Amino acid sequence: MVEPNELLEEVVREVDGVLLFAPTASYHERFVDAEIDVVVVASENDIDAESFVELPVAFQDVYDRVRFGIEGALEQDLLADGDVVACVSAVFDEELDTVSRVRVDADSTSGVYDLFANTRAEPDVLRSVLELVIELGKKGQKGQPVGALFVVGDAGKVMNKSRPLSYNPFEKSHVHVGDPIVNVMLKEFSRLDGAFVISDAGKIVSAYRYLEPSAEGVDIPKGLGTRHMAAGAITRDTNATAIVLSESDGMVRAFKGGSLVLELDPEEY
Amino acid sequence: MAPTVELPETEQIPEWLLDWPILLVSLILLVGLVGGYLLGRLSRSILEAAGIPESVEGTAFERTAQSLGTSTVSIVSRLLSWFVYGVTLLAAIFAFQPTDTEWLWQRIVAFIPQVFIASLVVILGFVIADKAELLVSERLRGVKLPEVTVLPRIVKYSVLYVAFLVALSQIGVATDALLVLLAIYVLGVVILGAVATKDILSSGAAGMYLLLREPYGIGDEVTIGEREGVVQEVGVLVTHLEDDEAEYVVPNSKVFEYGVRRVRN
């Protein structure tokens, strides 16, 4: 008679470290006391963990969450290439209930951590825009699905690679993403065509922008429309990050360096 | 309040002591002070042994006391001590057998409200100092610099100093020297602040103009002094320019010093 314990042991056999996703302080303490290499991945480090990776969005998809945690830990040299780690996270409930065994591969990173940590724009700005787009995707504009394109960071260059479609409603205004009224305002403006341009510090520079980057060498999945193509191309031509809400399938996609980095379904948030 | 109040102790006091009122008074004061202090200590240890600190923990009064840096037990025991000190003081005054007690009482009656106001000011000062310290340290929490913890404490003691100054002048203590010290301190802070933030202030003033009038915006190609590039960000204090090689952070005061050359497009 073989116990289930013994069979499932293989999942965590000889791991080099453990990634805990939003653990409680006492649970984390047990790992520290047992002198296991442990990395905490959470939205904020309220348990004062020594090795910590900040999670900018509460990824509902475990795959995204684990990928972000591992790439973050790799970037901070908390893990090395080839390490095998056990990732403990919560899927069904608030409590940690799922363990996955993952081999760290430094060569095939998706860049999802890079998207937040190594951008020109401040991570908070990017997070606010992403939250805004997710909310926009969930509710739409007056119940109708909307599409939107936000270009975040490197605004000077983006402005020089685009032209106005109409008068810029944000001219001579000093509105920043994250200001309380902005979400409503951007929602209203999102029915306009064209892109929103947001500066590194989060100032909304312009709406109604027609992006004119050269689309050479842009590698995005086939089947996506012009909005995605424009987003991918502008991030290749400048150091900006683009976040797109698709009008047709309602997905939120983030582009950086000309390629698709992150794909989220707003309905899950 | 009759002038011929006879205190029971004085009856047993030997004749020679009564001839030396100073000695008598100091004896009473000494006994009173030591007695009061011992009583305070004793009551504190009794209260602590009785488990009072645990039982009052978390009550509103205890929390207030804690925020003032004390506790219920120490307040109670200190009140006891002070009561003894007060009685001692009165006893000493009567042992002195002053000729004009009426005048003395008038002084005391006039003095009590002043003391009351003074202590109120001190308590208020403590509360405000505490709040100010908390506010400043909350503001500075994001600054990860160990030395920065000095600043909230400086704010706290500055507020306390002013509160004590007000309290002391209320009860009529000569505070001129302390006032001069305060004036020097404030002057020092103002002058140092003005010298240290001179550039920041001028940049801020220029930045206000730039934000209100927007002579150039994000995406414009400008030259400010020796710096040339595309505007990436306009803030209150600085403007970020960028060319192909580097990003320049130009203080806004430079805009007014050199003017701006904007490339027309």
Side-chain angles (χ1 to χ4, degrees), chain B residues 133-197:
Chain B
E133 187 192 17
L134 207 71
L135 206 77
V136 173
S137 62
E138 276 296 306
R139 272 293 170 85
L140 294 175
R141 217 168 54 162
V143 184
K144 290 188 175 100
L145 187 78
E147 286 80 8
V148 95
T149 50
V150 175
L151 212 63
R153 225 171 290 167
I154 288 176
V155 170
K156 180 182 177 178
Y157 287 116
S158 303
V159 173
L160 275 184
Y161 186 80
V162 173
F164 270 111
L165 213 61
V166 172
L168 284 180
S169 66
Q170 185 68 38
I171 53 176
V173 176
T175 52
D176 292 354
L178 291 176
L179 218 67
V180 169
L181 210 65
L182 180 73
I184 291 171
Y185 173 68
V186 169
L187 212 70
V189 167
V190 167
I191 289 174
L192 266 181
V195 169
T197 59

Side-chain angles (χ1 to χ4, degrees), chain B residues 52-133:
Chain B
I52 298 297
E54 286 81 20
S55 59
V56 295
E57 205 176 341
T59 60
F61 184 77
E62 174 74 6
R63 249 182 314 201
T64 317
Q66 290 280 0
S67 74
L68 297 174
T70 173
S71 65
T72 313
V73 169
S74 61
I75 285 177
V76 170
S77 54
R78 217 166 288 169
L79 268 178
L80 271 172
S81 306
W82 284 9
F83 180 71
V84 175
Y85 296 153
V87 169
T88 310
L89 206 68
L90 282 180
I93 287 166
F94 281 110
F96 207 64
Q97 284 172 339
T99 42
D100 196 357
T101 11
E102 198 63 39
W103 172 81
L104 191 76
W105 276 110
Q106 270 172 8
R107 282 297 298 267
I108 289 175
V109 166
F111 193 58
I112 283 173
Q114 306 286 349
V115 172
F116 181 72
I117 292 172
S119 45
L120 210 68
V121 166
V122 167
I123 290 172
L124 217 69
F126 265 108
V127 173
I128 293 173
D130 219 47
K131 287 271 178 259
E133 187 192 17

